[in-house]
Amino acid sequence: MELRGVCCVLLTCLFYTSSADKDFFTSIGQMTDLLYTEKDLVTSLKDYIRAEEDKLEQVKKWAEKLDVLSATATQDPEGFLGHPVNAFKLMKRLNTEWGELESLVLKDMSDGFISNLTIQRQYFPNDDDQTGAAKALMRLQDTYRLDTHTISSGELPGTNKDVAMSPMTVEDCFELGKIAYSDADYYHTELWMEQALKQLDGGEESTVDMVTILDYLSYSIYQQGELERALDYTKRLLKLDSAHQRANGNLKYFEYQLAKQNKVEAEEGQKEKEKREREKRERRKYEQLCRGEGIKMTPRRQSRMFCRYSDNNHHPLYVLGPVKQEDEWDRPRIIRYHDILSNSEIEKVKELAKPRLRRATISNPITGVLETAHYRISKSAWLTSYEDPVVDKINQRIEDITGLNVKTAEELQVANYGVGGQYEPHFDFGRVNKASLSILMSDVPSGGATVFTDVGAAVWPKKGSAVFWYNLFASGEGDYSTRHAACPVLVGNKWVSNKWMHERGQEFRRRCTLNESE
């Protein structure tokens, strides 16, 4: 019984007792009525106590569960949030479940907790954060060909077994499906509604009923043109709820459309088909490279790839202690320098960058305005050489190992990729950047490679190393083979420091020629 209802019963009974004939003692017959009144009051009181106990038991279980989870998570926050399911569930808990707990506690006057929660909620993730985390899970699902069960169970490739992780519930899967549905993404709606249905069929208890899941599922399948399957799920729904108005309407409509399907064929322009196929091919290649597939180099080319100690043309700093240099690719030439940053330098850079991290932007090709984009999911900060000696040392080290002038280069950009963080295929030479150097500041257990989609190269994160390539030929023309992308981070936390060296200032360090192959 709802507390409001209980209170109403109590007040009604008390009102009846106080407003009736007050001479009850003059008649045993009338006094017997009081016994039944009291019995009703005791029953109502027990319902009230039971409701309060149930509520407190729910709050207690929630607190105990979160106490254990928080204690484990805060031992290694970055490792814990490096698992995308943990990140999604954190967004969902703070945006949705804490609000539900607030409503539960508000049934009683718990002013201290409510005022504290109200104050803290201004710092909680919002709907956009929860939606973003959900879409990140779906992006990882596509890129790394993960089935919904693998994600739901949390058994992702590269997962650290010591990191605590709770499996996704029916409600979690249903929420992912709903977010996809609101974005008209019926493919992922189907996948996640089916996973919710499987877990429900498997006996998991849930506040989400099967009829609601089947309703979403049948419609999302219909939207993908699979009328027969949509019809099957609609019939299953009607077995559970024969009076379901929308399902009854859909049943007739799906049957009509199925009969009509073979008579009418939608025509599509050939150019539109070819454009979509090109986009699909590039997307497939990008995702294959992210998974470590399709990387090919002939044995002859491979034989020309070396590891060496380099002193950068007898640079005084590296004659006695040369830098470790490894060929990652030949055309375009991609080089990895090992052990460029120490752990203490990495931690200092992260410490400087963290308070200033902001959502990374792209320049709109039409308006030139900086804006956020779904294909660049990360946060970044810019560090200047004068704000800390370690930044100045890093800039000087970049100049020493590459031989390029960094005084005309951009400031050091520190980037951190969040859940499913990525940057889809792009060029770095849009702003006449001559060369790119990316310093990897973390190991990534799974995913997070930098891939060059035109040539099939993939460079994997290795903490402390730096990857270097030229974006322009010596002639000054852009090298289109340097089109590259940062793959989504599947498990872990990716930190990088980027340095883009401009063409200006390199006139006497890498001289211009008319030969584009140099």
Side-chain angles (χ1 to χ4, degrees):
M1 185 182 293
E2 291 289 330
L3 296 183
R4 186 181 296 174
V6 172
C7 292
C8 288
V9 172
L10 285 168
L11 290 171
T12 301
C13 293
L14 291 169
F15 178 77
Y16 171 78
T17 303
S18 61
S19 63
D21 188 348
K22 295 180 181 179
D23 294 328
F24 287 113
F25 67 93
T26 62
S27 169
I28 297 296
Q30 284 186 328
M31 287 180 68
T32 58
D33 291 341
L34 295 178
L35 291 175
Y36 290 106
T37 300
E38 188 177 51
K39 182 180 180 181
D40 288 342
L41 282 170
V42 171
T43 302
S44 298
L45 183 60
K46 285 183 176 178
D47 287 341
Y48 170 75
I49 292 169
R50 194 157 40 245
E52 283 286 344
E53 287 176 340
D54 288 345
K55 182 183 68 176
L56 288 173
E57 189 62 27
Q58 289 180 57
V59 174
K60 182 181 177 182
K61 286 180 179 178
W62 174 264
E64 288 173 348
K65 182 182 75 172
L66 264 294
D67 186 40
V68 173
L69 181 61
S70 298
T72 305
T74 52
Q75 288 178 7
D76 180 16
E78 289 196 355
F80 181 81
L81 292 177
H83 195 299
V85 172
N86 283 342
F88 165 72
K89 287 174 74 71
L90 176 64
M91 297 295 108
K92 180 173 176 288
R93 278 199 306 277
L94 292 176
N95 184 51
T96 304
E97 296 174 13
W98 276 98
E100 294 170 355
L101 182 66
E102 180 181 5
S103 299
L104 177 64
V105 175
L106 275 171
K107 290 180 181 178
D108 194 18
M109 296 304 293
S110 300
D111 293 335
F113 171 77
I114 295 304
S115 60
N116 186 38
L117 180 58
T118 302
I119 292 169
Q120 294 300 329
R121 283 200 70 177
Q122 63 182 310
Y123 304 111
F124 283 5
N126 57 23
D127 288 344
D128 289 340
D129 293 309
Q130 184 173 332
T131 299
K135 288 182 177 180
L137 278 180
M138 295 178 220
R139 185 164 57 249
L140 293 172
Q141 179 180 4
D142 293 344
T143 303
Y144 298 105
R145 288 183 176 172
L146 303 173
D147 57 56
T148 51
H149 172 73
T150 298
I151 298 175
S152 178
S153 65
E155 298 171 356
L156 302 180
T159 301
N160 185 344
K161 301 301 181 185
D162 295 330
V163 174
M165 189 268 147
S166 57
M168 295 177 71
T169 62
V170 170
E171 286 87 350
D172 294 332
C173 298
F174 178 72
E175 184 67 25
L176 274 177
K178 276 208 312 180
I179 288 171
Y181 180 85
S182 65
D183 211 28
D185 178 1
Y186 300 112
Y187 168 71
H188 286 105
T189 305
E190 176 192 347
L191 293 180
W192 285 103
M193 290 300 173
E194 280 190 335
Q195 181 61 32
L197 192 62
K198 285 177 186 175
Q199 293 181 205
L200 210 55
D201 286 339
E204 184 180 321
E205 293 184 3
S206 173
T207 57
V208 183
D209 63 274
M210 193 172 291
V211 168
T212 304
I213 294 173
L214 287 169
D215 193 15
Y216 275 101
L217 192 52
S218 61
Y219 187 74
S220 63
I221 291 172
Y222 156 70
Q223 284 288 347
Q224 296 176 80
E226 297 184 56
L227 287 169
E228 289 186 15
R229 288 184 61 223
L231 199 57
D232 289 341
Y233 277 115
T234 304
K235 289 176 180 177
R236 181 177 173 184
L237 187 161
L238 288 170
K239 283 182 181 179
L240 298 172
D241 182 3
S242 59
H244 197 286
Q245 188 175 358
R246 184 166 50 251
N248 276 298
N250 286 345
L251 181 69
K252 295 177 182 178
Y253 181 71
F254 292 165
E255 287 175 338
Y256 168 74
Q257 288 292 329
L258 193 60
K260 182 182 173 183
Q261 190 177 53
N262 294 329
K263 297 179 182 179
V264 180
E265 291 290 336
E267 293 187 358
E268 190 178 35
Q270 188 62 30
K271 288 185 178 179
E272 200 62 34
K273 283 184 180 180
E274 290 174 357
K275 179 184 176 184
R276 195 166 69 251
E277 277 304 312
R278 281 196 304 271
E279 291 173 350
K280 282 183 179 179
R281 280 196 300 272
E282 182 179 41
R283 184 74 197 179
R284 279 197 298 269
K285 188 170 184 180
Y286 163 55
E287 292 178 351
Q288 283 177 336
L289 290 169
C290 289
R291 295 192 296 268
E293 302 170 6
I295 303 170
K296 295 179 181 178
M297 184 180 283
T298 63
R300 185 176 180 182
R301 286 173 62 190
Q302 187 67 49
S303 67
R304 297 171 181 167
M305 310 293 285
F306 295 101
C307 293
R308 65 185 70 81
Y309 285 102
S310 171
D311 61 10
N312 192 22
N313 295 322
H314 306 294
H315 191 287
L317 285 176
Y318 298 112
V319 171
L320 295 179
V323 66
K324 300 172 187 174
Q325 190 184 87
E326 178 184 359
D327 293 332
E328 288 279 355
W329 204 257
D330 55 352
R331 298 189 298 272
R333 193 180 183 207
I334 304 169
I335 296 170
R336 187 194 294 269
Y337 296 98
H338 291 273
D339 302 324
I340 295 302
L341 289 192
S342 66
N343 286 334
S344 60
E345 288 173 325
I346 287 172
E347 291 308 310
K348 185 62 181 179
V349 169
K350 288 164 65 174
E351 178 191 325
L352 292 169
K354 275 183 180 180
R356 291 149 58 177
L357 288 173
R358 299 292 182 271
R359 175 73 185 267
T361 57
I362 56 97
S363 177
N364 186 301
I366 298 173
T367 65
V369 175
L370 292 176
E371 59 190 21
T372 61
H374 70 277
Y375 54 82
R376 190 178 190 184
I377 310 295
S378 64
K379 285 190 173 182
S380 58
W382 298 86
L383 303 182
T384 56
S385 58
Y386 56 78
E387 61 186 285
D388 194 277
V390 74
V391 181
D392 189 44
K393 281 172 63 178
I394 291 170
N395 285 334
Q396 187 59 53
R397 197 170 301 158
I398 291 170
E399 179 166 316
D400 292 340
I401 64 173
T402 64
L404 296 177
N405 186 353
V406 298
K407 291 181 177 57
T408 58
E410 296 183 25
E411 301 295 351
L412 190 69
Q413 185 207 53
V414 181
N416 180 222
Y417 292 80
V419 53
Q422 65 162 1
Y423 190 1
E424 290 186 4
H426 62 282
F427 296 105
D428 277 353
F429 58 69
R431 292 168 297 184
V432 296
N433 290 330
K434 192 177 191 72
S436 297
L437 185 134
S438 183
I439 303 174
L440 292 310
M441 300 197 299
S442 61
D443 291 316
V444 179
S446 189
T450 298
V451 298
F452 293 74
T453 51
D454 281 21
V455 298
V459 181
W460 300 91
K462 181 175 173 56
K463 187 177 181 180
S465 68
V467 179
F468 174 79
W469 68 90
Y470 283 106
N471 299 299
L472 304 179
F473 291 114
S475 64
E477 296 296 319
D479 184 353
Y480 286 88
S481 68
T482 60
R483 183 171 173 81
H484 62 285
C487 296
V489 177
L490 179 56
V491 175
N493 190 16
K494 183 179 178 181
W495 284 88
V496 296
S497 288
N498 297 310
K499 192 75 173 178
W500 290 291
M501 275 72 79
H502 287 185
E503 188 174 19
R504 184 172 62 86
Q506 316 305 334
E507 294 85 353
F508 300 104
R509 301 199 180 204
R510 192 193 188 211
R511 295 179 181 277
C512 179
T513 72
L514 298 178
N515 188 350
E516 288 192 2
S517 63
E518 293 182 6

